[in-house]
Amino acid sequence: MATEAHSDEGGLVFHPMDQFIVKPLFGDGPVGMFTITNVTLWMALSVIAIIALMVMGTSGRSTIPGRIQSIGELAYGFIYKMVEDVAGKDAVGFFPYIMTLFLFIVFANFLGLLPTAFTTTSHIAVTAVLALLVFVTVTVVGFVKHGMGFLGLFWVSSAPLPLRPVLALIEVISYFVRPVSHSIRLMGNMMAGHAVMKVFAAFAPMILLSTGLGLLVTPLSVIAIAAIYGLEILVAFIQAYVFTILTCVYLKDALHPAH
């Protein structure tokens, strides 16, 4: 994963943040609003992977499921139970949206772990759109379902009366900060993990050139990189899970706003 170059002084230079640069897929011109970029490509591949999983997993349904059908059924059952347990039975109608959200983030995260791939969820432009869609959806659902009663979400009736206006202000601020924390958490974890992997990947040739202990250092470097890579696989799933379960929590607040 590391991109390395020798500087004019003869030292080894690597840039761990270069992997997050958005580039046009065709040509070298500036990136405009409608430019097809590496982000576009890998988002499209994520969508294609989701469609392939769902189509192949359901086209040949059998009593004894194959591998792809098993993965599809596990994903379906996992998200369905999450929605039902966290947001309630009346939130099951939003299951298709939440399922799609989870699968998109999971596939985007895992595809980003492939060599030379681009991790779309490491960009705030992608995660912010996902978070804003969740924020707008739950807010609209809250007002459509409860009208002005949705504002009860911000009024802590169990608190002493003098404290309620202060707590209401805190609740309002916390509510509007949700899309910020929702998006930054996913973006920050994916960007930090990939940057760390690139730094570790660059250590092996740097130490090899500076000490000459190739036989001793390289195995340790490979083990360290493998450990970080394994951790990133875990983080890729956990971040998709956290983003999805927070969506369910926000949906629960919209469906049952009373404090």
Side-chain angles (χ1 to χ4, degrees):
M1 293 181 62
T3 301
E4 301 155 4
H6 290 278
S7 65
D8 295 337
E9 290 78 14
L12 194 62
V13 178
F14 64 96
H15 305 280
M17 305 306 288
D18 283 356
Q19 59 184 309
F20 305 114
I21 297 175
V22 178
K23 302 176 182 178
L25 202 58
F26 308 104
D28 299 319
V31 176
M33 183 177 295
F34 300 104
T35 304
I36 299 176
T37 64
N38 47 357
V39 180
T40 311
L41 171 64
W42 287 97
M43 287 180 68
L45 290 175
S46 299
V47 173
I48 292 171
I50 294 171
I51 295 172
L53 173 65
M54 293 294 100
V55 171
M56 294 174 66
T58 58
S59 60
R61 288 175 292 178
S62 59
T63 305
I64 302 176
R67 293 180 182 178
I68 297 179
Q69 184 180 336
S70 296
I71 294 172
E73 289 179 354
L74 283 172
Y76 183 98
F78 177 71
I79 301 302
Y80 190 93
K81 183 172 176 56
M82 181 194 300
V83 173
E84 193 175 46
D85 290 349
V86 176
K89 291 185 179 297
D90 50 347
V92 171
F94 296 91
F95 165 75
Y97 171 63
I98 296 174
M99 176 77 168
T100 303
L101 190 66
F102 173 78
L103 288 178
F104 176 79
I105 296 174
V106 161
F107 275 103
N109 289 353
F110 279 112
L111 286 175
L113 292 172
L114 297 175
T116 72
F118 189 92
T119 310
T120 55
T121 47
S122 66
H123 268 263
I124 191 67
V126 175
T127 59
V129 170
L130 297 176
L132 283 173
L133 286 174
V134 172
F135 178 78
V136 171
T137 299
V138 299
T139 303
V140 170
V141 168
F143 278 109
V144 168
K145 188 174 178 63
H146 302 283
M148 297 307 292
F150 179 61
L151 297 177
L153 177 66
F154 309 111
W155 190 253
V156 187
S157 56
S158 60
L161 185 59
L163 291 178
R164 291 179 192 177
V166 177
L167 293 176
L169 178 61
I170 295 173
E171 289 288 338
V172 169
I173 295 173
S174 174
Y175 186 82
F176 283 97
V177 168
R178 281 180 176 182
V180 178
S181 61
H182 208 187
S183 58
I184 290 178
R185 181 184 293 107
L186 175 59
M187 179 273 294
N189 278 280
M190 298 313 298
M191 177 177 286
H194 283 67
V196 169
M197 279 198 296
K198 188 164 186 178
V199 170
F200 269 82
F203 277 163
M206 288 179 68
I207 299 174
L208 178 63
L209 290 175
S210 60
T211 65
L213 298 177
L215 294 177
L216 175 64
V217 175
T218 301
L220 295 177
S221 302
V222 170
I223 292 172
I225 294 169
I228 294 295
Y229 195 85
L231 179 62
E232 272 303 290
I233 293 175
L234 182 62
V235 169
F237 177 81
I238 289 176
Q239 288 306 311
Y241 172 78
V242 169
F243 194 98
T244 309
I245 201 168
L246 284 175
T247 301
C248 293
V249 171
Y250 299 157
L251 182 58
K252 178 185 178 182
D253 288 341
L255 298 173
H256 311 284
H259 248 288

